[in-house]
Amino acid sequence: GGNFVFKHALLWAQSVLSLVMHSVVFTDTERDIRVVFHVDVDCFYIQAEILRNKSLRGKPVAVTQFNKGGLVAISYEAKSKGISKGDGVGEHGRAVLSRFQGRPDAAMDRVKQKCPDLIILPMDMSYYREVSRNIYDALCRWHSGEDVCQSSIDDFYLDVTDRVSSSSPSSS
């Protein structure tokens, strides 16, 4: 039944897929059960920067927007020091964005006080698109290019119904 397919899909994914999977989604129609993996690259901009510069691994790192819009990605090491996405927002952003009103701790100088060793890198969208494309290409090679859908720079969906069904003991 469906529960067996679910358990089998998870075991199969753990054994062959070396990407971070945040969820497995099953869509059910009257006549068909589909097995769809949602692949989300955790802390994508940070992971891309570590891919480019291995010395960043294990250090507090953040990626910032060009427009003083604040930090858009935070490493776990920086999060453990109290740094949050959006911190570092400029004065205008703190005045007009309700989330930051009355939060002087969100200013960049306060962020650096909380985490003096924070490495702040500018967004590099052309590089991130290249990394994203490489991930997409790898998923297509792994999955023969069939039923791979990219929904954002770091989110992908793979319909693996045929692979799971063909390797299921009940399909033999």
Side-chain angles (χ1 to χ4, degrees):
N3 198 23
F4 172 79
V5 172
F6 176 77
K7 288 179 183 174
H8 184 72
L10 286 178
L11 291 172
W12 175 81
Q14 290 171 347
S15 67
V16 297
L17 190 62
S18 61
L19 294 169
V20 177
M21 289 188 309
H22 285 264
S23 60
V24 178
V25 179
F26 293 85
T27 39
D28 190 4
T29 64
E30 287 182 16
R31 299 172 30 204
D32 198 14
I33 294 177
R34 308 300 300 169
V35 180
V36 179
F37 287 162
H38 170 219
V39 179
D40 177 27
V41 182
D42 198 29
C43 300
F44 175 74
Y45 296 152
I46 300 298
Q47 296 300 329
E49 293 296 344
I50 290 170
L51 183 64
R52 179 173 19 201
N53 180 353
K54 306 275 189 264
S55 71
L56 296 173
R57 185 177 310 279
K59 295 180 179 173
V61 179
V63 173
T64 189
Q65 295 184 42
F66 297 107
N67 62 0
K68 296 187 182 184
L71 305 175
V72 296
I74 314 291
S75 70
Y76 285 106
E77 295 80 6
K79 287 177 184 179
S80 73
K81 307 269 178 136
I83 309 303
S84 300
K85 198 182 283 189
D87 283 356
V89 67
E91 187 175 334
H92 179 70
R94 288 192 314 280
V96 298
L97 298 171
S98 61
R99 176 179 172 205
F100 297 106
Q101 289 175 357
R103 285 210 39 222
D105 63 314
M108 189 60 80
D109 60 336
R110 298 291 285 279
V111 168
K112 290 179 179 178
Q113 286 175 355
K114 280 196 258 184
C115 187
D117 52 344
L118 181 66
I119 300 165
I120 301 173
L121 303 170
M123 288 183 83
D124 184 348
M125 288 309 297
S126 61
Y127 173 66
Y128 302 145
R129 281 190 288 274
E130 176 186 336
V131 171
S132 180
R133 182 64 191 187
N134 289 339
I135 294 168
Y136 177 82
D137 290 346
L139 289 170
C140 287
R141 281 192 307 276
W142 173 79
H143 195 49
S144 305
E146 299 171 22
D147 300 320
V148 176
C149 177
Q150 184 171 5
S151 62
S152 72
I153 198 161
D154 71 332
D155 282 292
F156 307 86
Y157 292 88
L158 291 81
D159 185 337
V160 296
T161 304
D162 293 339
R163 284 181 171 233
V164 172
S165 297
S166 68
S167 62
S168 169
S170 62
S171 67
S172 334

